[in-house]
Amino acid sequence: MHPKTKQVLEVFEEINKIPRRSKNEAQISLWLQEWGRSRGFEVKADSLNNVLIKIPATSGYENSPTIILQGHMDMVCEKSRDCRHDFSKDPIRCVCDGDWLRGDGTSIGADNGIALAIGLVLAEAGKKGEIGHPPLELLFTVDEETGLTGAKGLEASFFEGKVLLNLDSEDEGVFVIGCAGGQNSLITLPVEWELLDFKEESSFGLFRLSVEGLEGGHSGVEIDKQRANGIQLLSLALSGLRDRLGAGNLKLILINGGSVHNAIPSTAEAFIALRRDKLEQAGEAVSALKKTFQAEYAKTDPGLILSLEKIGREIIFEVAGDKRPEEEAPNIRILSAGTEEKLIQLLLGLPHGVYRMSENIPGLVETSNNLATVRTTENEIMIVSSQRSSSNLRLAEITGKVEAVAKLAGAWIEHEPGYPAWEPDLESELLMKCRQVYSRVFGKEPEVKVIHAGLECGIIGSVHEGMEMISFGPTIKDPHCPSERIFIPSIEKVWIFLENLLSSYRC
């Protein structure tokens, strides 16, 4: 293992001891600030907890342009169902699996903690005289994963550089020069409740219907892989059960699924009441649906599980947030027949997956949608839909379709502020320099791509005129999933490339 790879992984391990879920980056922000000040670097932070660490040029590079190394602090916190990890306090445990570093049942936050680690090791290497480099600005932003709010809130005076190296791409040997823009939509379906009283309840059993074991993944990077969406499959299962059992024999209590807007839902669950004389039919229907789903997604989601399990009333009270003892708890609330019908039709009607491929770049998804999350609350059901496109026209089109379906179901819809696409510049001087350096060092041409994910480059470039940008990084598989892993040898290649790229700026 390259000595710098070892150092990067050691720093990454330290970073992974600090909770850094999106919108909860205060601790990692303070840790980064202390790291910089303890080494004599100039450090500043803004009101959002974005951090800038300024690294002086090494000898011979004083007149070189300032280079920004940029990444984000937050991570998507995903874990397998049987994992007891608490992302609010537990250190993330990484396990070496051959040439791969993976989590112990959790995502590991290589997206984008590895960028922080590379930047810090690079700064120390320059300070020790191990490498030469121009003036550097380590720009670490918050809340990239749930809204890019850190990048959106950057003031023009926060940094000085005009050349930005974003370390948030996930395929070594690939230079990203453009990305999609995006728009999140928040759908609110009002709820009407009914009571399943004790007398009637004797005729019903309580069950958890769940979809689990899906691959999930990044809703931009993996959206073209045709992976199953847990919310969609659960909705299909509920619809199939209702049709098989007949009206009034299934009563929906609550439904939850997905985790964040930019992850394809890998799990979803519904708590339901089933009439006891229909249980055999229900079991047969679920078994048949399970076989159908598993056959359909055998290649993309081999771990798919559809299950129906009997539960006690206390489980429903716990999930619903009612912590009173069972004997003191009220009768079980169920969705009214009208709300149940609207909800299932709404979830079935909302689009998910690739909507349109690019006409200009072969193989590139132009427009897509992710049916991301559903949550049952006291008075409403909240659904998040996340649209992406490299075309403003198509982004508006797919967002309009989401809005139309929501309104037809009687739901309210609110669109969050979107983020712009990063339009590629194939004639960029930075791109030409990066290609030359990579070819000289590794003896082969790098791949140049535009991606369907959102990157902070789009926001930074739209606000800071004249910024030259490129994105690259070590190879990471299945970001935003419990199976997230990083290819250890690719860290060495990124380090060697960065070292040679920075040395090429010597004046």
Side-chain angles (χ1 to χ4, degrees):
M1 183 184 294
H2 191 282
K4 290 304 177 188
T5 298
K6 185 173 184 294
Q7 289 181 34
V8 168
L9 291 178
E10 288 171 350
V11 174
F12 182 56
E13 183 178 8
E14 290 300 308
I15 290 169
N16 271 345
K17 294 177 182 178
I18 306 165
R20 50 193 178 92
R21 186 191 295 271
S22 300
K23 301 187 185 300
N24 290 278
E25 304 96 344
Q27 291 185 56
I28 186 66
S29 177
L30 289 172
W31 185 87
L32 289 166
Q33 294 173 54
E34 176 57 28
W35 184 95
R37 293 190 181 103
S38 68
R39 287 156 178 79
F41 298 131
E42 181 183 343
V43 178
K44 63 178 178 178
D46 64 15
S47 60
L48 298 176
N49 284 325
N50 293 318
V51 172
L52 188 77
I53 304 175
K54 304 188 74 169
I55 316 297
T58 57
S59 178
Y61 291 83
E62 294 86 354
N63 296 320
S64 302
T66 297
I67 308 295
I68 304 170
L69 296 179
Q70 192 264 321
H72 62 86
M73 304 177 211
D74 61 318
M75 64 173 286
V76 172
C77 298
E78 287 282 285
K79 62 182 180 180
S80 55
R81 186 189 174 196
D82 58 350
C83 179
R84 297 185 177 276
H85 184 90
D86 185 344
F87 283 104
S88 69
K89 63 179 181 179
D90 296 339
I92 294 170
R93 181 173 176 266
C94 292
V95 179
C96 278
D97 186 3
D99 283 337
W100 294 88
L101 188 73
R102 59 173 176 81
D104 185 14
T106 72
S107 52
I108 60 174
D111 174 16
N112 192 221
I114 204 68
L116 278 60
I118 290 172
L120 300 185
V121 173
L122 190 68
E124 285 206 299
K127 185 178 178 67
K128 294 175 181 177
E130 296 173 350
I131 64 171
H133 61 70
L136 300 178
E137 293 181 320
L138 306 184
L139 175 60
F140 301 138
T141 52
V142 299
D143 196 26
E144 188 268 354
E145 299 289 6
T146 64
L148 300 118
T149 54
K152 289 177 181 177
L154 285 171
E155 295 185 0
S157 60
F158 193 67
F159 55 86
E160 299 175 356
K162 290 291 187 180
V163 177
L164 185 141
L165 310 179
N166 171 275
L167 302 179
D168 193 18
S169 288
E170 293 148 3
D171 290 294
E172 190 283 320
V174 174
F175 293 145
V176 175
I177 61 169
C179 71
Q183 174 90 65
N184 291 340
S185 299
L186 311 180
I187 301 167
T188 304
L189 181 68
V191 169
E192 292 181 355
W193 297 103
E194 297 176 355
L195 289 181
L196 186 65
D197 63 32
F198 286 116
K199 292 181 180 179
E200 188 179 8
E201 189 179 325
S202 63
S203 301
F204 284 83
L206 303 177
F207 293 84
R208 175 180 180 265
L209 178 67
S210 62
V211 177
E212 297 169 306
L214 306 183
E215 291 297 310
H218 191 291
S219 64
V221 178
E222 272 91 26
I223 200 69
D224 63 336
K225 292 181 171 58
Q226 306 298 324
R227 293 177 179 175
N229 178 309
I231 297 172
Q232 278 194 323
L233 289 191
L234 182 64
S235 303
L236 285 168
L238 285 168
S239 179
L241 265 179
R242 291 166 78 233
D243 291 344
R244 176 71 179 272
L245 303 181
N249 293 315
L250 180 153
K251 297 180 183 294
L252 182 57
I253 300 168
L254 60 86
I255 183 170
N256 294 317
S259 57
V260 291
H261 77 95
N262 53 2
I264 300 167
S266 60
T267 62
E269 62 181 7
F271 293 87
I272 59 178
L274 293 175
R275 192 171 292 280
R276 295 185 188 278
D277 58 6
K278 298 289 184 178
L279 295 185
E280 185 176 349
Q281 284 180 267
E284 292 172 352
V286 170
S287 179
L289 285 166
K290 179 180 177 180
K291 290 180 181 178
T292 299
F293 291 166
Q294 289 179 336
E296 182 69 24
Y297 294 99
K299 292 184 178 180
T300 60
D301 298 85
L304 187 157
I305 298 172
L306 175 68
S307 62
L308 181 69
E309 57 180 320
K310 185 173 176 54
I311 58 171
R313 298 171 80 245
E314 72 281 356
I315 300 296
I316 292 175
F317 297 145
E318 181 179 351
V319 173
D322 192 332
K323 304 301 183 183
R324 285 176 288 175
E326 184 175 351
E327 62 272 12
E328 297 179 11
N331 297 334
I332 291 176
R333 295 192 314 178
I334 59 174
L335 300 181
S336 70
T339 300
E340 178 184 301
E341 177 68 17
K342 288 178 182 178
L343 173 62
I344 292 176
Q345 297 305 320
L346 171 58
L347 293 176
L348 289 174
L350 286 170
H352 173 82
V354 175
Y355 179 68
R356 184 181 175 92
M357 299 296 291
S358 172
E359 296 179 354
N360 301 316
I361 303 176
L364 175 68
V365 177
E366 178 207 76
T367 307
S368 73
N369 193 64
N370 182 39
L371 174 54
T373 66
V374 58
R375 291 286 181 274
T376 304
T377 66
E378 182 69 20
N379 298 310
E380 55 206 16
I381 295 171
M382 307 292 295
I383 300 167
V384 175
S385 173
S386 181
Q387 300 81 241
R388 299 178 188 266
S389 184
S390 51
S391 162
N392 289 330
L393 176 64
R394 299 300 181 191
L395 182 60
E397 181 179 323
I398 188 67
T399 301
K401 289 183 178 295
V402 169
E403 180 169 334
V405 173
K407 288 183 175 179
L408 285 170
W412 311 317
I413 187 165
E414 177 183 358
H415 305 296
E416 292 184 340
Y419 55 90
W422 170 24
E423 296 186 8
D425 180 5
L426 290 169
E427 305 302 320
S428 161
E429 291 184 13
L430 176 59
L431 173 60
M432 289 188 283
K433 179 184 280 287
C434 287
R435 295 181 74 162
Q436 290 169 359
V437 169
Y438 193 94
S439 300
R440 173 173 55 81
V441 172
F442 298 114
K444 63 177 183 178
E445 282 287 322
E447 185 178 355
V448 178
K449 289 178 63 175
V450 177
I451 63 170
H452 189 58
L455 289 171
E456 291 165 297
C457 298
I459 294 170
I460 294 172
S462 69
V463 174
H464 302 272
E465 188 176 350
M467 183 73 70
E468 280 198 290
M469 302 177 292
I470 200 163
S471 181
F472 56 90
T475 298
I476 300 171
K477 296 298 183 184
D478 295 325
H480 304 183
C481 297
S483 56
E484 180 189 11
R485 60 203 182 276
I486 184 168
F487 188 53
I488 296 172
S490 69
I491 299 173
E492 174 182 345
K493 294 191 72 174
V494 170
W495 177 270
I496 292 171
F497 168 71
L498 260 176
E499 187 176 356
N500 282 272
L501 177 64
L502 294 176
S503 69
S504 72
Y505 280 94
R506 186 181 181 114
C507 293

